[in-house]
Amino acid sequence: MEKIRCGWCEKDDLYRKYHDEEWGRPVYDDKTLFEFLILESFQAGLSWYTILSKRENFRKAFDHFDYKKVAAYSDEKIEELMNNSGIIRNRLKILSAVTNAQKFMEVQQEFGSFSKYIWGFIDGKPIDNSPETLSVVPATTEISDLISKELKKRGFKFVGSTVIYAHMQATGMINDHLKNCFTRKI
């Protein structure tokens, strides 16, 4: 029997695997939350598929998203990233990854973990929207607006409300799998 999935992921096996195994599953691990924060910030203005297809290159280029290492990147490392054709070579986004790593660690210091901080906006429990169709899935919500505003106040970059909503979906803070998607039965 054919699996029924959310329609956005039917492009190819890479997208289906991401949808089936990661998207919308709650993530509480700081390292993974950081990875998605950086990848989502690089997605701004691009398609998620573009980022997903370069994900392994990003992992290698950004020291497997070790935020302590990323926070300490030198000008030489920035130039190395700017010359890496396997990633998105946008200087502002690369610089924001460094800034965001630094701010990420500040949040960890204040709250004990980034996970505790970010999940605190929704009382630690995923929001299940159970959408009937893709057309009703929003790009932003009041919660993503609030988180975006708070992160910007803390100095984070490339964390607009759309980026944050996508981050919330990716990390399972929000479950936007369609009602008939097979993942709801897992």
Side-chain angles (χ1 to χ4, degrees), residues 62-169:
F62 282 89
D63 292 293
H64 298 275
F65 297 104
D66 180 333
Y67 44 83
K68 291 176 183 169
K69 288 182 179 177
V70 175
Y73 279 178
S74 64
D75 290 342
E76 291 77 25
K77 177 64 176 183
I78 302 297
E79 289 310 311
E80 177 187 315
L81 292 168
M82 283 297 297
N83 290 310
N84 185 334
S85 62
I87 65 168
I88 305 302
R89 295 178 290 181
N90 177 307
R91 186 173 300 278
L92 291 177
K93 290 179 180 182
I94 291 170
L95 291 171
S96 78
V98 176
T99 298
N100 289 351
Q102 295 163 352
K103 300 306 174 186
F104 189 90
M105 292 191 310
E106 288 174 14
V107 168
Q108 284 179 315
Q109 202 165 20
E110 185 177 342
F111 291 88
S113 72
F114 186 82
S115 179
K116 193 182 294 182
Y117 169 73
I118 199 83
W119 279 91
F121 285 97
I122 58 169
D123 296 325
K125 297 178 199 122
I127 297 168
D128 190 349
N129 289 330
S130 297
E132 295 275 349
T133 65
L134 291 175
S135 64
V136 299
V137 176
T140 64
T141 61
E142 287 181 19
I143 295 171
S144 66
D145 292 347
L146 173 64
I147 295 171
S148 170
K149 186 176 173 184
E150 292 300 318
L151 288 173
K152 286 177 182 177
K153 272 190 210 172
R154 291 177 174 278
F156 284 80
K157 307 288 184 201
F158 282 95
V159 290
S161 188
T162 303
V163 167
I164 294 305
Y165 192 78
H167 183 265
M168 294 172 76
Q169 289 174 308

Side-chain angles (χ1 to χ4, degrees), residues 1-92:
M1 190 165 155
E2 187 76 22
K3 288 181 179 174
I4 297 173
R5 293 180 173 89
C6 302
W8 61 263
C9 74
E10 292 296 355
K11 184 173 186 153
D12 66 11
D13 287 340
L14 177 67
Y15 239 19
R16 281 187 286 274
K17 182 175 174 25
Y18 171 69
H19 168 273
D20 293 358
E21 298 176 9
E22 291 185 83
W23 191 74
R25 307 246 175 144
V27 172
Y28 299 96
D29 170 69
D30 272 8
K31 187 171 187 284
T32 307
L33 288 168
F34 180 71
E35 176 177 351
F36 276 111
L37 187 65
I38 297 307
L39 291 175
E40 295 293 353
S41 69
F42 270 90
Q43 182 203 349
L46 302 169
S47 76
W48 179 244
Y49 187 79
T50 299
I51 302 303
L52 193 58
S53 64
K54 295 177 177 282
R55 188 178 189 183
E56 287 308 314
N57 296 334
F58 272 104
R59 282 180 173 153
K60 289 176 191 151
F62 282 89
D63 292 293
H64 298 275
F65 297 104
D66 180 333
Y67 44 83
K68 291 176 183 169
K69 288 182 179 177
V70 175
Y73 279 178
S74 64
D75 290 342
E76 291 77 25
K77 177 64 176 183
I78 302 297
E79 289 310 311
E80 177 187 315
L81 292 168
M82 283 297 297
N83 290 310
N84 185 334
S85 62
I87 65 168
I88 305 302
R89 295 178 290 181
N90 177 307
R91 186 173 300 278
L92 291 177

